[in-house]
Amino acid sequence: MFKKCIFIATTLLGLSACQSVSILDNEDLDILGTWHIEATQGKPVIDYSPAQLVFAADGALSGNNSCNQFFGQYQLDGRSLTLSPAGNTMKACVDALMQQEQKVMQSMSMVTQGTLTKGKLMLSDADGNTVLVLSKQ
């Protein structure tokens, strides 16, 4: 009898561990606000880089791409995310920041989806490769 109770308890515990929490795909990510860019295309940004993205409630996108300010729009539908930078300032910075700026701008155009993982906003391309890692400011 004791073995049967242990078997049943173990089976029930094992089955309960197989349950998964469903996340609604149509539930939008909570991305509003200012996010510091920590990495782009797999490489960390330069220490003390001003690179950031700002998501406004009206769909406006703005921020700093490492050297210059930029503006544009974003569209969010569940986990699907499109960033559309439309313009930016044109000041010159040190070469390292200018190179990073190019990577940030390239990365933004590749974004197709986003996920929140351990407080980080991970923006990925169509193949699922993370192209931007952001932290909330």
Side-chain angles (χ1 to χ4, degrees):
M1 180 67 162
F2 180 72
K3 287 183 182 181
K4 285 184 181 180
C5 289
I6 295 293
F7 175 76
I8 291 172
T10 305
T11 302
L12 290 175
L13 183 62
L15 289 175
S16 67
C18 292
Q19 290 180 340
S20 62
V21 177
S22 64
I23 297 174
L24 300 175
D25 285 337
N26 61 355
E27 183 181 323
D28 287 345
L29 290 171
D30 182 17
I31 64 172
L32 294 181
T34 302
W35 295 82
H36 175 71
I37 300 174
E38 292 188 359
T40 181
Q41 297 180 18
K43 299 199 185 234
V45 297
I46 297 168
D47 286 345
Y48 307 108
S49 169
Q52 65 181 9
L53 298 180
V54 181
F55 297 96
D58 64 356
L61 174 68
S62 62
N64 185 300
N65 55 20
S66 296
C67 179
N68 286 286
Q69 300 294 320
F70 70 89
F71 61 91
Q73 299 290 316
Y74 73 92
Q75 291 184 329
L76 178 63
D77 183 18
R79 304 282 183 248
S80 178
L81 178 64
T82 304
L83 307 181
S84 303
N88 58 282
T89 58
M90 301 286 287
K91 71 179 183 177
C93 293
V94 296
D95 287 343
L97 286 176
M98 295 300 291
Q99 290 171 0
Q100 183 171 283
E101 174 181 277
Q102 288 177 344
K103 284 188 177 186
V104 168
M105 296 305 284
Q106 287 172 346
S107 296
M108 283 195 287
S109 66
M110 296 188 304
V111 171
T112 61
Q113 59 189 344
T115 56
L116 283 170
T117 306
K118 297 181 181 177
K120 306 278 185 200
L121 180 57
M122 314 294 273
L123 303 183
S124 305
D125 64 13
D127 295 326
N129 300 315
T130 301
V131 293
L132 287 167
V133 177
L134 313 172
S135 60
K136 188 85 176 206
Q137 287 188 326

